[in-house]
C-alpha cells in the first residue's frame, strides 16, 4: 500500500538552531514529491517539487532533497516566522491518481 | 495572478442537511481537486476534475459529489451531513501541462462545522 510517513510529528527549535524534517515514502513509481507549508487556519502553501533521486531545491532557509526512499527538508538558522506545519505529499506512477499526504511535522521556532 | 478562492470560508450546518462549497481555480488552471482535512486523518483526497470530467475519486461515500463548469470553477456537495463531516475542505488547482506532475495550489479552505 502506498504510504507517506513524516517524522518527527512535532519539533521545537531555538532561533538559529538548524534541523531536518523527514518524509519517507513507499509508492509504486514516484512521479513527484511535493513539500508544502501550512499555517493554522490556512490552506497549504507550495514550497518545492522533486522528481528524481539526487535532486535538491532551495528557497531562502529551506532546502529539500530526495532519495529513492525519503526526502528531507533542511531548515538552516530558522526564525520564528518559519513556525508552521510542513506537509509532504507524493504522486505515484499511475497518471490521474491523487496526491498522498503525510500527517505533517509541526515546527515551532522560539526566539 | 489571483490565487485559488473558496466560498464560503465558514459554514455551520445541522446533521441531515446538505451543503455546497465553491472553488474558483487560478486563471488558466483546468484541473481542480478537493481534499478533506481533519486533525485525525490529515489531508485526504476527495476527487479531481479536469475539463468538466471527474478524473479521479478518493475513498469517500457517495454523499460526497462534485462537478466542474466550463470556466473551470468547481463545486462540491455533501448530502445528509454527519457530525464526522466537520472538517476543513480544501480546493487545489493545477495546470497539467506535460508528463511531469504539476504542483497543486491550494485555496484557503472552507471550515465546515456540523452540529
Amino acid at each position: 500500500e502506498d504510504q507517506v510517513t513524516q517524522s518527527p510529528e512535532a519539533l521545537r527549535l531555538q532561533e538559529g538552531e538548524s534541523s531536518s524534517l523527514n518524509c519517507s515514502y513507499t509508492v509504486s513509481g514516484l512521479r513527484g514529491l511535493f513539500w508544502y507549508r501550512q499555517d493554522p487556519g490556512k490552506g497549504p502553501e507550495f514550497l518545492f517539487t522533486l522528481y528524481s533521486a539526487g535532486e535538491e531545491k532551495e528557497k531562502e532557509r529551506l532546502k529539500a532533497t530526495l532519495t529513492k526512499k525519503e526526502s528531507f527538508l533542511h531548515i538552516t538558522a530558522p526564525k520564528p516566522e518559519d513556525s508552521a506545519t510542513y506537509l509532504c505529499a507524493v504522486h505515484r506512477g499511475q497518471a490521474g491518481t491523487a496526491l498522498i499526504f503525510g500527517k505533517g511535522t509541526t515546527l515551532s521556532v522560539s526566539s | 495572478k489571483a490565487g485559488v478562492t473558496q466560498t464560503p470560508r465558514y459554514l455551520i450546518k445541522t446533521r441531515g442537511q446538505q451543503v455546497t462549497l465553491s472553488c474558483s481555480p487560478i486563471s488558466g488552471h483546468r484541473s481542480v481537486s478537493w481534499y478533506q482535512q481533519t486533525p485525525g486523518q490529515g489531508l485526504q483526497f476527495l476527487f479531481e476534475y479536469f475539463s468538466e470530467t471527474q478524473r479521479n475519486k478518493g475513498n469517500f461515500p457517495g454523499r460526497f459529489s462534485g462537478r466542474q463548469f466550463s470556466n473551470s470553477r468547481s463545486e462540491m456537495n455533501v448530502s445528509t451531513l454527519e457530525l464526522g463531516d466537520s472538517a476543513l475542505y480544501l480546493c487545489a488547482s493545477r495546470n497539467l501541462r506535460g508528463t511531469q506532475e504539476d504542483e497543486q495550489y491550494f485555496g484557503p479552505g472552507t471550515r465546515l462545522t456540523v452540529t
Side-chain angles (χ1 to χ4, degrees):
Chain A
E1 183 185 343
D2 295 335
Q3 202 165 354
V4 178
T5 304
Q6 291 187 249
S7 61
E9 288 185 18
L11 182 62
R12 291 181 180 275
L13 299 174
Q14 290 289 320
E15 184 172 4
E17 180 186 2
S18 301
S19 188
S20 297
L21 313 183
N22 178 264
C23 171
S24 62
Y25 61 90
T26 52
V27 294
S28 51
L30 182 73
R31 286 172 63 90
L33 184 142
F34 304 85
W35 282 98
Y36 287 86
R37 168 193 169 128
Q38 187 174 26
D39 292 299
K42 295 187 176 182
E45 175 190 345
F46 170 73
L47 293 174
F48 302 110
T49 309
L50 301 167
Y51 291 108
S52 55
E55 191 174 357
E56 299 182 352
K57 289 195 176 168
E58 286 188 70
K59 179 181 177 181
E60 296 179 357
R61 296 177 292 282
L62 301 176
K63 178 180 177 180
T65 62
L66 180 65
T67 72
K68 288 187 177 178
K69 293 185 178 180
E70 57 191 350
S71 176
F72 291 93
L73 186 64
H74 307 278
I75 303 177
T76 302
K79 298 182 177 182
E81 53 262 42
D82 294 322
S83 298
T85 296
Y86 291 85
L87 297 165
C88 168
V90 298
H91 202 292
R92 62 184 174 94
Q94 186 179 355
T97 55
L99 284 179
I100 304 168
F101 277 86
K103 295 287 180 67
T105 293
T106 299
L107 174 66
S108 299
V109 182
S110 54
S111 55
Chain B
K1 227 182 208 182
V4 178
T5 58
Q6 293 187 244
T7 56
R9 292 294 312 279
Y10 303 92
L11 208 48
I12 299 176
K13 290 286 188 178
T14 305
R15 270 181 304 176
Q17 289 186 313
Q18 75 166 18
V19 67
T20 299
L21 311 181
S22 181
C23 170
S24 292
I26 291 171
S27 178
H29 286 190
R30 295 162 63 193
S31 164
V32 173
S33 297
W34 288 89
Y35 293 84
Q36 180 195 68
Q37 186 174 33
T38 58
Q41 298 298 319
L43 266 156
Q44 291 186 290
F45 172 74
L46 282 157
F47 27 67
E48 179 183 15
Y49 285 87
F50 177 73
S51 293
E52 303 179 64
T53 301
Q54 190 179 85
R55 192 166 179 254
N56 196 14
K57 188 177 189 304
N59 294 323
F60 277 82
R63 300 185 297 108
F64 292 82
S65 63
R67 60 176 175 169
Q68 186 180 33
F69 302 96
S70 58
N71 61 358
S72 295
R73 191 178 69 85
S74 177
E75 289 181 346
M76 68 162 282
N77 184 277
V78 188
S79 62
T80 320
L81 284 166
E82 301 177 358
L83 294 178
D85 297 333
S86 295
L88 181 67
Y89 289 87
L90 292 159
C91 166
S93 75
R94 60 176 172 158
N95 211 345
L96 282 184
R97 285 165 294 187
T99 56
Q100 286 185 325
E101 291 302 325
D102 293 297
E103 60 272 11
Q104 297 187 14
Y105 292 90
F106 284 82
T110 294
R111 172 71 63 185
L112 172 65
T113 302
V114 181
T115 61

